[in-house]
Structure formats: structure tokens, C-alpha cells
Amino acid sequence: MSDVNTSTAPDGGSAATLSRLEQEGEIAADYLEGLLDIADLDGDIDMDVEGERASVSIVGDTSSRDLNKLVGRDGEVLEALQELTRLAVHRETGERSRLMLDIAGFRARKRAELAKLGAEAAAEAKETGQPVKLDPMTPFERKVVHDAVAAAGLSSESEGEEPQRRVVVLPA
């Protein structure tokens, strides 16, 4: 079962952009439904458009223990599945996709934790007047922290090379 929330175009986005993102979501949903069938896992696919990217979530009923296998340790399997799903979209459309995949609410929970971490790091930088260096993070994680720091009224930057790239929160 697939649900699509497409009531409005993304901020500043056109109807054509919305249509392209909806198409990406549909392709991704078909790919992921096939994957769930092959793995003999139960889950519903929810699709949305958030900002300038398609967002697809696999959600389970009460027990998402089986879906957690698709998340893996620290989201490693989820990251791999997201890349495979993006490749499936690219194969169909010929265009690079920035699609975000969430499974069993893992990314949503991670986003909340990272927003809190970013706000705490911003508070520490304000209090001490010193830059605050965080542990290395994935691009998704860094983006969430950068957004939280900006919301707290400070700036941040990323430094280092993957996979050791980290966020540094700068004092005012």
C-alpha cells in the first residue's frame, strides 16, 4: 500500500518539479516493494515530497523488528538501500536522485537526536566562545546539525575528508 502526500509544491518549486519528484517516489516505491517481496518482509510504503527531494518511508505495523534488519547497525544497511534505490531511480529517469529513504522511523528518530545535538553544541559555543567540534558524521547527519545550529543563531562548517568529515560549530 502506498500513500502520497502531494498537496502543495515544494517551497519555490514548480509543478514540473513536483511531478518529477512524485515520479521518483513512485519508481522508488516500486523498487522497494519488490525488495520487500524478495526478502519476505511486511511493510507499507509512504511517499512524500519534502523540500526539493522525494521522501520514501517503509513503515511496519506494531512490530518493526523485521524492518530493523533493513536499517542495520547505525543505519548502515539503510544507507546502502538508499543508494541502491537512488540508482534504480537514476536507471529509470536518467537523472540523479536526492531521494531520502527512512525505514521503521530510524531516520526520523536520528533527525530528532541530531537536532538536539546541534542545539546543545550551539549553546556550548555561545557559552564558551570556543568552536565546538563534533564527531564525524554522514552527509545526512551533518545537514541536520547544520540546520539546528543555524536555527540557534550560529554558523557551522564541515571539515575533514570522508569518512572523517565533521561539523564544527562556530561561536558568534
Side-chain angles (χ1 to χ4, degrees), residues 114-124 145 148-149 152:
L114 291 166
K116 181 179 176 189
L117 175 66
E120 290 170 352
E124 181 182 339
V145 172
V149 169

Side-chain angles (χ1 to χ4, degrees), residues 25-38 41 43 45-46 56-58 70 81-82 84-85 88 99-103:
E26 290 289 341
I27 294 166
D30 289 345
Y31 176 79
L32 291 166
E33 284 174 356
L35 177 82
L36 290 173
D37 287 344
I38 290 168
L41 296 173
I45 310 286
D46 289 337
V56 179
S57 300
I58 301 175
L70 296 178
L81 288 173
Q82 177 175 277
L84 289 171
T85 304
L99 176 128
M100 287 296 292
L101 175 63
D102 192 6
I103 299 174

Side-chain angles (χ1 to χ4, degrees), residues 12-34:
S14 67
T17 299
L18 180 61
S19 177
R20 180 181 53 78
L21 294 175
E22 289 172 347
Q23 178 189 18
E24 284 185 17
E26 290 289 341
I27 294 166
D30 289 345
Y31 176 79
L32 291 166
E33 284 174 356

Side-chain angles (χ1 to χ4, degrees), residues 31-106:
Y31 176 79
L32 291 166
E33 284 174 356
L35 177 82
L36 290 173
D37 287 344
I38 290 168
D40 195 29
L41 296 173
D42 290 326
D44 292 329
I45 310 286
D46 289 337
M47 294 178 292
D48 200 355
V49 174
E50 297 176 3
E52 289 293 319
R53 61 174 61 187
S55 175
V56 179
S57 300
I58 301 175
V59 294
D61 340 0
T62 54
S63 170
S64 59
R65 178 179 292 169
D66 285 342
L67 288 182
N68 285 332
K69 294 175 186 175
L70 296 178
V71 173
R73 191 185 74 209
D74 296 325
E76 291 173 343
V77 176
L78 170 59
E79 290 291 332
L81 288 173
Q82 177 175 277
E83 286 307 308
L84 289 171
T85 304
R86 286 177 174 176
L87 286 172
V89 171
H90 181 265
R91 185 185 67 226
E92 293 291 321
T93 66
E95 295 183 26
R96 184 178 176 275
S97 173
R98 295 179 54 232
L99 176 128
M100 287 296 292
L101 175 63
D102 192 6
I103 299 174
F106 175 83

Side-chain angles (χ1 to χ4, degrees), residues 6 80 139 164:
T6 56
Q164 296 299 313

Side-chain angles (χ1 to χ4, degrees), residues 143-164:
K143 169 78 169 97
V144 173
V145 172
H146 285 304
D147 290 348
V149 169
L154 292 182
S155 61
S156 57
E157 60 188 23
S158 294
E159 71 175 23
E161 299 294 324
E162 296 291 353
Q164 296 299 313

